Amino acid sequence: MNLLHKKWLNPGKINVSYEDNKIVLENLSNSHKFIIYPKLFKAEKEKEIFLDFNGKLIYGMGCTLKILNRHKTILGECGLNSLFSCKYAMLKYYIIAIYVPANSKMELTKIEYKAKIPQNFYDEYFTNDTLLITPGYPSLENKYNTAFVHTRVQAYQNANINLDIAVINSLPETKLYEFEGVKVFKGDYFALREILKRKKYKNIIVHFFDNNYGNVFDSVDLTDTQLFFYLHGADVLYRDYPKYASNYFERPIDISNKESEFEIKDYYFRKYNLNPNVKWIFVSNFVKNRAEELLDIKFNNYDIVPCFIDTNLFKYVQKDPELRKKIFILRKFTNDNCYAIDIDIRAILELSTRPYFSELEFDIYGDGEMFDVLTAPVKNFSNVHLHRTFLTHEEIKQVHDLHGIGLFASRFDTQGVSLCEAASSGVAVVTSNIPVITSCINPELGVTCTVEDYKSYANAIEKMFYNKEYFLEVAKEESLSVTQKFNYNNTIQKELNIFKNSFTNLGIKIKEPDNNPLLTVIVPAYNVENYLWSGIISLLNQPYNNKLEILIINDGSKDNTASIAKILQDKTTINGKSIVKLINKENGGHGSTINKGIKEATGKYLKIMDGDDTVDSLAFYELLKILEKEDTDIILNNYFEDFASTNFLNPKETYPFMQPGLEYRFEDLCYEGYGFKDWGPILSCSTYKTQMLKDANFKLSEKCFYVDMELNTYIAIACKTIKYYPIYVYRYFLGRQNQSVTKQSYMKNYKNHEKVTINLINILNDNINHISECKKNYIEKKLIIIMIKTQYVVCIDFYNNGKPFREFEKVLKSYPEFYKNPEILTNAIKFHRLTNGYLIRFNSILVKLKRFIRKILN
């Protein structure tokens, strides 16, 4: 659908002209405006919103195409000259609007809207051997967004280093756009996983490293990749949060409730500090020293490289002394008082009380939610000009050329790029006496002021107003200091040398396999070509990899799973012995792979890891050290749920009632209240003694889902002793299509679920004379009844007909001890039994009616 061919609603009353195949928008006001497409769009199931938005920016900032729900909440936005796609699973209706910044004009030539099947942006864009990851990047609508990263990218390109640029944050949208000749991809953390699973990079450069990136990196193979983590301040000085993120005119932010969040961040910094392929690059010595103090660590492999100041663009030119009367402020007007714009404004107000004020002229540049609030006290001065816009570097240079003094108060900074650019150009910068700034601006010049003393900033400007020679001296000395510290050789060239020479020893050190493996890991693998490599590498990336036997059971995959497994086998083969072993078989389902794996296993212990899951390598190493000394039947650990779509790692502590390292009789944990709560030993938490499994001599159902419940039942029967160690080893990946735990899969495979449910009853009955009463009760309550309840939920809540319900009823009637069990018989089951399932199609209406009646009665 071409959205150019219809008149848009114009509540903002901006200038709109419709010409042949284009729309011209002009906003002459000092506030942002918008126009709205006159249609309420309805979301289509399984399809994405796709936008192609093109045009020409004539002046000001670029407009954005925004998607809003009916409550006017912004759900996504597409910048000028961008491709955009996004899927909103819970969205029913939405509107499309164009946001037009203040003092801007643009010509729109293409606004194409489609609802289409998700598009793959990855393969066509990511083609270079170096990936740069950053949470933000400049665009026509926000030219100031991490502009220092863009400066670096341009310098790298000039040095013939071509990069793929990925802007990665939590927004669930995908974009492709271009800014000043640089192609930029924008996506969420799930998109980053997809990128890194599909492509192996030689170098990855990360600006603003944090636990979100660390969680993604943990799930992919980066062992042969050089990692360069740039730390600019807020990303590592998070315990200084009140200093740089408190709001204007409010008390400092309270971080007393953030310690658990900070501990997660600490974990990732300490973990990646141990990785030999990681280089930390700090923007200043201050950041490095303060980070070590706050984290209580010493960074192993680091360097100090400040942000580059383009001294060719921002070249020193001696000012006409008359320009000392022209003063500018250039800032982001977000609600972060570290920028100290309020101090700049107070300094102007102070100057307004002095006799020469009318001879001064002020220009204020920037944008953000606090622009109107912060500039309100000075907006009515005739010699104060407000420019609500962001600027490119060329535009910033023009500002430098037209002004003599830059006013840059600051409460917290880690370099001060914008003030350094101004100083490099020959602007006399008046700023604050915080440590980072005084390391490059000599305090003896008298222009680094006490932070909150706004009069001292006014006094510094006054001194230059009355003393031309002093003004010229300040400008020259500041420029000399800045250009010496932040020129090309001390920044970009230093980085290029680091990229070239940083690492000599990459990859995993594979040792010759032991003849008697400590642990066999069975990896059931069916069509997991995008996941298998990362999972196996997570097992190998630790010092005890020679003590492993990894059996990849290829279950008749139709993709490249087998060839990837063969490469892994070859890479881990030393002197004819291999850690990884590929076993090909015809497709027989998850149960058949476990059956085969147990038969072939030779390790002292055995663990099962699905082909799309991973382990935490450090925790896995701890587990292996434990297994060396253990002889109990089962070792239990904690695990993570890895929600790929949201990049959320959910820690699951399933056995807190067990004392770490204490051996229990399995039977003793089966008594109600004394042991297992919702679950006993489950696959993601368990490591089994191999001989116990072989002696149990069971066979799981083949060509069937949900057979891990059969495994849990056989384990409960066979196990005698069990221990727990509270380490988080397994990472259970959630987010892959066609996983058996989704609603769609339950509906598709409800007969499989029914089959396994009945199998559990038969397994119990076959062993009823060989197990204790408490084990029997455990298997009934924690395994069988749970499966029966789930089957009823699938039959009643997921389907619009009663056929699956009647089929299950017919089978379960043969087992009256469960068919009549009061723990299973809900009112809904009783009702549908009376109606033989024929009213299940009205179940959702009946549930709502029941709630309504209950509400009235209450």
Side-chain angles (χ1 to χ4, degrees), residues 112-337:
E112 182 181 335
Y113 161 85
K114 292 180 182 178
K116 57 188 293 185
I117 300 298
Q119 179 175 346
N120 174 16
F121 284 115
Y122 306 117
D123 296 337
E124 63 189 62
Y125 174 73
F126 295 97
T127 58
N128 294 298
D129 64 0
T130 297
L131 175 68
L132 185 145
I133 302 169
T134 174
Y137 201 83
S139 60
L140 289 175
E141 61 269 20
N142 189 346
K143 302 172 186 177
Y144 201 62
N145 188 1
T146 59
F148 56 87
V149 177
H150 178 57
T151 302
R152 277 185 159 99
V153 169
Q154 290 179 310
Y156 298 157
Q157 290 181 335
N158 290 335
N160 296 318
I161 295 181
N162 295 315
L163 311 97
D164 295 333
I165 311 297
V167 178
I168 302 296
N169 51 48
S170 59
L171 296 176
E173 57 192 26
T174 305
K175 296 181 187 177
L176 283 175
Y177 71 94
E178 188 169 313
F179 181 75
E180 295 184 343
V182 177
K183 292 183 178 179
V184 181
F185 170 91
K186 189 172 184 181
D188 60 8
Y189 297 110
F190 181 77
L192 180 59
R193 289 188 189 222
E194 290 299 304
I195 294 165
L196 297 178
K197 286 182 184 298
R198 293 165 183 264
K199 182 169 176 60
K200 187 77 171 174
Y201 281 97
K202 177 182 177 183
N203 303 308
I204 294 179
I205 300 167
V206 179
H207 286 273
F208 303 99
F209 174 79
D210 68 4
N211 55 292
N212 291 305
Y213 292 139
N215 186 36
V216 174
F217 294 160
D218 278 357
S219 68
V220 296
D221 171 30
L222 300 178
T223 52
D224 292 310
T225 300
Q226 298 184 133
L227 300 173
F228 304 93
F229 295 155
Y230 281 76
L231 303 178
H232 297 272
D235 43 6
V236 66
L237 306 182
Y238 36 86
R239 284 187 173 80
D240 278 337
Y241 191 69
K243 296 181 181 180
Y244 62 79
S246 292
N247 296 334
Y248 283 102
F249 317 120
E250 296 181 11
R251 293 182 179 276
I253 291 173
D254 181 11
I255 60 170
S256 59
N257 61 344
K258 288 183 171 289
E259 191 54 37
S260 59
E261 174 187 332
F262 292 161
E263 287 175 357
I264 296 173
K265 294 177 181 288
D266 292 349
Y267 166 79
Y268 277 99
F269 276 105
R270 290 175 178 141
K271 177 176 182 176
Y272 277 87
N273 193 40
L274 299 175
N275 282 21
N277 58 336
V278 169
K279 165 80 84 170
W280 306 98
I281 301 179
F282 295 90
V283 72
S284 64
N285 270 302
F286 165 76
V287 175
K288 182 257 179 185
N289 294 335
R290 183 63 175 154
E292 290 186 335
E293 180 183 349
L294 293 173
L295 292 170
D296 192 26
I297 63 172
K298 292 292 182 183
F299 286 93
N300 294 325
N301 186 14
Y302 74 90
D303 221 317
I304 310 295
V305 183
C307 293
F308 169 53
I309 304 299
D310 188 345
T311 54
N312 289 323
L313 176 62
F314 301 111
K315 189 174 182 179
Y316 172 75
V317 177
Q318 182 171 308
K319 299 288 184 183
D320 180 340
E322 286 301 302
L323 287 178
R324 74 193 189 283
K325 300 175 185 178
K326 293 178 69 78
I327 303 156
F328 78 93
I329 298 169
L330 175 64
R331 283 298 199 189
K332 285 198 303 183
F333 283 76
T334 52
N335 200 5
D336 305 293
N337 74 6

Side-chain angles (χ1 to χ4, degrees), residues 460-523:
I461 293 172
E462 179 175 285
K463 185 176 179 180
M464 286 188 275
F465 175 81
Y466 285 121
N467 189 333
K468 300 177 183 179
E469 289 72 23
Y470 174 60
F471 160 71
L472 294 173
E473 178 193 355
V474 169
K476 185 175 182 179
E477 289 297 320
E478 287 185 336
S479 178
L480 182 62
S481 175
V482 166
T483 54
Q484 286 178 341
K485 290 178 179 293
F486 308 128
N487 60 33
Y488 185 90
N489 287 335
N490 288 334
T491 55
I492 299 300
Q493 189 59 57
K494 187 174 181 179
E495 290 181 70
L496 296 177
N497 292 338
I498 291 172
F499 297 157
K500 182 179 180 181
N501 303 317
S502 191
F503 307 113
T504 56
N505 224 355
L506 292 178
I508 298 173
K509 294 184 177 66
I510 300 295
K511 304 173 185 176
E512 183 174 346
D514 285 359
N515 291 324
N516 298 305
L518 174 62
L519 176 67
T520 296
V521 182
I522 298 173
V523 184

Side-chain angles (χ1 to χ4, degrees), residues 679 705-710 746 752-758 760 780-793 808:
W679 298 99
F705 285 94
Y706 315 109
V707 294
D708 54 333
M709 294 299 285
E710 292 182 2
Y746 272 122
N752 283 183
H753 195 276
E754 176 187 289
K755 175 183 176 180
V756 169
T757 301
I758 300 305
L760 299 192
E780 287 179 350
K781 292 184 178 181
K782 305 300 182 186
L783 299 172
I784 296 174
I785 289 177
I786 288 175
M787 288 288 284
I788 293 173
K789 286 181 176 179
T790 302
Q791 184 69 16
Y792 274 122
V793 168
F808 184 54

